[in-house]
């Protein structure tokens, strides 16, 4: 708060907004980047953050519907690294198909990564269920056991309980998404039951 008050005093003393911004930039922490919303609100992000990080900081739905970004009133690629003092505006569309998995390569904030992963877990749940079921069945066959023999209620209920999944679809979805592995978690624990 002291630093913010000092910054506001500098602004009053300086007639030139560019001089104020230059002074402000040198005072900011080096491991963070400070950017502004179009309304002038300051947002703090990890150094190396992109407009994607900024969008998810504002709200998950803004990130999920993001189709572009303006930095300092100019359209820029959404993977552009933000600099101190940038004014960032997110362009959204109701027709957006959601985030891209490639975004995970560019975001720096844990918040953005988590929200993107949550979107994929939710929106690709059925695909993850099918993929997880296939992976578990392959692993059971790989260890040389008939699927019908190992995949019985008393065995999978023990695994569901251990990992706190409500039902088999939750387990399949987690394996399909990659949260847990079929070998390490399901098949290994079935042998113990």
């Amino acid at each position: 708060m002291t630093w913010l008050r000092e910054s506001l005093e500098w602004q009053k003393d300086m007639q030139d907004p560019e001089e104020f911004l230059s002074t402000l930039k040198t005072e900011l922490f080096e491991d963070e980047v400070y950017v502004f919303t179009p309304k002038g609100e300051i947002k703090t992000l990890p150094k190396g953050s992109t407009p994607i990080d900024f969008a998810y900081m504002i709200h998950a739905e803004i990130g999920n519907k993001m189709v572009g970004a303006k930095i300092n009133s100019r359209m820029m690629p959404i993977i552009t690294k933000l600099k101190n003092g940038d004014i960032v505006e997110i362009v959204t569309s109701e027709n957006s198909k959601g985030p891209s998995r490639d975004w995970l390569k560019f975001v720096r904030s844990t918040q953005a990564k988590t929200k993107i992963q949550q979107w994929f877990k939710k929106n690709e749940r059925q695909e993850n269920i099918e993929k997880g079921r296939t992976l578990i069945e392959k692993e059971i066959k790989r260890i040389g056991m008939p699927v019908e023999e190992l995949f019985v209620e008393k065995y999978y209920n023990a695994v569901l309980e251990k990992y706190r999944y409500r039902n088999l679809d939750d387990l399949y979805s987690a394996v399909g998404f990659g949260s847990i592995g079929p070998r390490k978690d399901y098949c290994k624990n079935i042998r113990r039951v």
Side-chain angles (χ1 to χ4, degrees):
M1 290 302 286
T2 305
W3 176 84
L4 188 56
R5 284 188 189 104
E6 288 174 9
S7 298
L8 292 172
E9 289 299 315
W10 294 336
Q11 184 181 20
K12 289 178 187 173
D13 295 341
M14 295 181 193
Q15 297 297 321
D16 182 15
E18 286 183 33
E19 181 185 353
F20 169 69
L21 192 57
S22 175
T23 304
L24 189 62
K25 284 181 182 179
T26 60
E27 289 293 316
L28 299 174
F29 300 109
E30 291 185 19
D31 59 341
E32 295 177 328
V33 63
Y34 296 83
V35 295
F36 296 90
T37 67
K39 292 181 179 179
E41 296 173 42
I42 297 175
K43 299 293 179 185
T44 307
L45 294 164
K47 188 172 182 141
S49 290
T50 66
I52 302 168
D53 293 284
F54 179 83
Y56 281 100
M57 172 178 257
I58 302 299
H59 195 279
E61 282 305 303
I62 291 175
N64 293 339
K65 294 180 180 187
M66 179 180 188
V67 293
K70 290 182 181 179
I71 302 173
N72 301 321
S73 301
R74 292 182 44 213
M75 285 300 292
M76 299 294 282
I78 61 173
I79 60 170
T80 303
K81 289 187 178 178
L82 298 173
K83 297 183 288 258
N84 284 322
D86 282 343
I87 300 170
V88 184
E89 181 180 349
I90 302 301
V91 180
T92 61
S93 171
E94 289 299 319
N95 299 326
S96 170
K97 292 182 172 132
S100 165
R101 284 198 188 273
D102 290 337
W103 291 7
L104 292 169
K105 298 175 191 170
F106 302 105
V107 294
R108 293 291 172 256
S109 68
T110 304
Q111 182 179 19
K113 286 179 186 174
T114 301
K115 288 180 180 179
I116 293 168
Q117 289 172 337
Q118 286 173 346
W119 187 91
F120 281 106
K121 279 184 184 177
K122 179 182 174 195
N123 290 288
E124 293 182 354
R125 180 171 168 79
Q126 198 55 44
E127 291 171 34
N128 288 333
I129 289 170
E130 293 303 318
K131 185 178 177 183
R133 179 181 292 123
T134 302
L135 289 169
I136 288 173
E137 287 175 2
K138 267 186 189 176
E139 186 59 24
I140 291 171
K141 287 176 185 174
R142 189 190 72 72
I143 61 174
M145 300 291 287
V147 172
E148 306 79 37
E149 195 175 307
L150 277 182
F151 220 77
V152 293
E153 194 171 343
K154 79 174 190 178
Y155 294 142
Y156 67 71
N157 277 341
V159 174
L160 294 177
E161 189 176 313
K162 178 178 180 170
Y163 291 101
R164 297 188 175 123
Y165 291 115
R166 289 175 288 154
N167 53 46
L168 268 177
D169 282 350
D170 288 351
L171 171 69
Y172 290 145
S173 181
V175 172
F177 185 72
S179 298
I180 65 171
R183 180 178 193 183
K184 178 181 175 195
D185 299 303
Y186 183 76
C187 296
K188 180 178 165 185
N189 285 294
I190 277 196
R191 288 180 177 176
R192 292 185 187 155
V193 177

